[in-house]
Amino acid sequence: MNTIHKIHAPGDGASGKRRILVVNTGGTIGMVNTAAGYAPHREAFHRLLMQMPELQSDAMPLWDIVDMDPLLDSSNMTVLEWNAIGEVISLHYGEYDGFVVLHGTDTMAYTASALSFTLRNNAKPVILTGSQIPLCEIRNDARDNLITALMIAAGDQVHEVCLYFGGRLLRGNRAIKYSADDLIAFESPNYPVLAEAGIAIRYNDAALLRPARGSFSLQPLKNVPIGVIKVFPGIQFNLFDSIMTERLRGIVIETFGAGNIPAHADSLLPIIRKASDNGTIIIVCSQCPHGTVSLGAYETSSALKNAGAISGYDITTEAAVAKLYYLFSRGLSKREIRARMEKSLRGEMTS
Ligand code: ASP
């Protein structure tokens, strides 16, 4: 069960102070060293938070913390955990001005993408952050990531799901984990940085989404069977034949460059055609982090289009996966899902 721990900064109750809910899901930021390596530890993390004078400062918003149970290494996240995070935010949406989601870095871009879709008509800042080095270590990136994420969540510039890490605020559904060991671990290759935290936090106003109109609601996700295939030279497509059944609802194909696949004898095409005939939605993404898919630019991609695949343009694989879950969970027809996959719903693609 998730319980909220009230940890108000001094000045608690002062009128005009913004209120932020920190949703702790786990990840390196709150881990401690155990015999088996780093693992999440709620009490130790809370003790460390209470020892940070910055978090009790008058310059900070009022903040409370809710811990997911169990706390996870983000490699263990599933749609169930995405739903649980969405439920906490939805339940407390009216009480808080913004949300900070503490999360492991490994799948943070997936969760950020998923929340960007499931939090419908979200007008509040939802800032995911974490760290490469836990808060318990003397030299760490956890402290700055947490403090700055709280400040951004307490401001009134952001009205969308973002990821703050290493001094940069990125659109959540445009982010990818780029480095396994750099403190600047995330990139947004196809969309500008939303804010840079230098001496001051400088927002890129033109790149930020306007506040959504309409009333906020949560769309829970269903765990629909979807897949991802990464194409490589010499790929034996026939090996994938057995997964292309009616059960497979959607598949993301990570192609070369602008959407190209090898055209050799046991080509992907018959398999794509089979999937398409089965009603599977096929999204074409690029293995290049930067740039866009352009189906039909080359002979090797025209065939994909003719076989019924849809262009994902410059969407990340993370966002494509999350968007498929979201659209299938809304109970839309195949035609509606195809149409929505090709256009931007939350600023996740340039189509
Ligand atoms: N394995 C960790 C996680 O994703 C890595 C991290 O947080 O940086 O939960």
Side-chain angles (χ1 to χ4, degrees):
M1 210 51 262
N2 306 312
T3 39
I4 293 196
H5 302 267
K6 304 274 179 192
I7 308 182
H8 294 328
D12 187 353
S15 62
K17 271 217 152 199
R18 296 229 168 200
R19 295 173 63 98
I20 307 302
L21 183 62
V22 177
V23 184
N24 179 24
T25 72
T28 295
I29 190 164
M31 290 189 183
V32 293
N33 224 337
T34 70
Y38 282 130
H41 194 294
R42 187 173 72 92
E43 289 76 20
F45 184 51
H46 280 227
R47 254 196 317 277
L48 286 165
L49 291 178
M50 296 315 291
Q51 286 164 10
M52 280 176 68
E54 302 92 329
L55 295 184
Q56 317 304 325
S57 154
D58 238 354
M60 294 302 279
L62 302 178
W63 60 278
D64 297 323
I65 185 165
V66 56
D67 302 279
M68 307 305 279
D69 187 12
L71 294 171
L72 291 179
D73 184 297
S74 74
S75 317
N76 294 321
M77 289 273 167
T78 68
V79 294
L80 297 180
E81 282 74 32
W82 295 347
N83 285 342
I85 300 167
E87 274 159 27
V88 170
I89 293 173
S90 172
L91 198 62
H92 301 285
Y93 192 78
E95 290 163 61
Y96 292 91
D97 300 296
F99 299 86
V100 169
V101 179
L102 303 180
H103 197 287
T105 58
D106 288 344
T107 66
M108 195 187 292
Y110 286 93
T111 302
S113 298
L115 291 176
S116 79
F117 295 115
T118 60
L119 304 177
R120 300 181 71 192
N121 291 322
N122 169 46
K124 298 192 177 180
V126 176
I127 315 296
L128 282 87
T129 195
S131 67
Q132 295 275 53
I133 310 174
L135 187 61
C136 67
E137 300 292 350
I138 295 195
R139 196 182 141 264
N140 70 68
D141 55 333
R143 189 182 152 278
D144 174 69
N145 285 349
L146 173 58
I147 292 171
T148 310
L150 273 166
M151 287 182 157
I152 291 171
D156 50 16
Q157 289 89 344
V158 176
H159 308 281
E160 55 182 296
V161 177
C162 296
L163 189 156
Y164 176 77
F165 213 92
R168 297 187 309 177
L169 184 73
L170 310 177
R171 175 162 298 156
N173 57 31
R174 290 288 199 158
I176 55 170
K177 184 171 178 183
Y178 176 77
S179 173
D181 44 26
D182 266 9
L183 299 188
I184 299 176
F186 290 87
E187 293 289 339
S188 171
N190 290 313
Y191 199 73
V193 168
L194 300 181
E196 304 229 24
I199 290 177
I201 302 174
R202 284 185 312 276
Y203 289 91
N204 181 352
D205 291 327
L208 286 158
L209 289 181
R210 304 290 139 241
R213 281 174 298 184
S215 54
F216 170 84
S217 66
L218 174 71
Q219 171 62 61
L221 298 181
K222 291 182 188 141
N223 199 6
V224 290
I226 61 173
V228 177
I229 292 183
K230 181 170 183 159
V231 170
F232 56 90
I235 184 169
Q236 295 169 44
F237 290 116
N238 48 9
L239 294 178
F240 298 93
D241 194 45
S242 58
I243 66 161
M244 298 293 193
T245 66
E246 295 82 9
R247 275 202 66 220
L248 186 69
R249 308 283 295 281
I251 187 151
V252 178
I253 305 195
E254 280 195 9
T255 58
F256 302 131
N260 305 314
I261 55 163
H264 54 68
D266 46 328
S267 152
L268 180 61
L269 286 177
I271 291 164
I272 295 288
R273 245 181 242 116
K274 178 178 165 191
S276 177
D277 292 346
N278 283 339
T280 305
I281 307 263
I282 304 145
I283 312 302
V284 182
C285 289
S286 176
Q287 291 174 19
C288 302
H290 182 249
T292 186
V293 163
S294 173
L295 289 186
Y298 290 87
E299 204 179 1
T300 40
S301 73
S302 293
L304 260 178
K305 195 174 175 182
N306 297 337
I310 305 169
S311 175
Y313 298 97
D314 60 357
I315 198 169
T316 61
T317 298
E318 291 86 333
V321 164
K323 193 171 174 180
L324 277 173
Y325 276 124
Y326 168 69
L327 293 176
F328 277 112
S329 301
R330 286 195 53 200
L332 302 168
S333 70
K334 290 268 160 57
R335 231 174 100 231
E336 288 168 320
I337 294 175
R338 285 176 67 90
R340 283 172 172 76
M341 275 313 293
E342 281 198 298
K343 66 173 206 201
S344 170
L345 302 181
R346 309 279 195 271
E348 74 281 7
M349 71 195 320
T350 321
S351 54

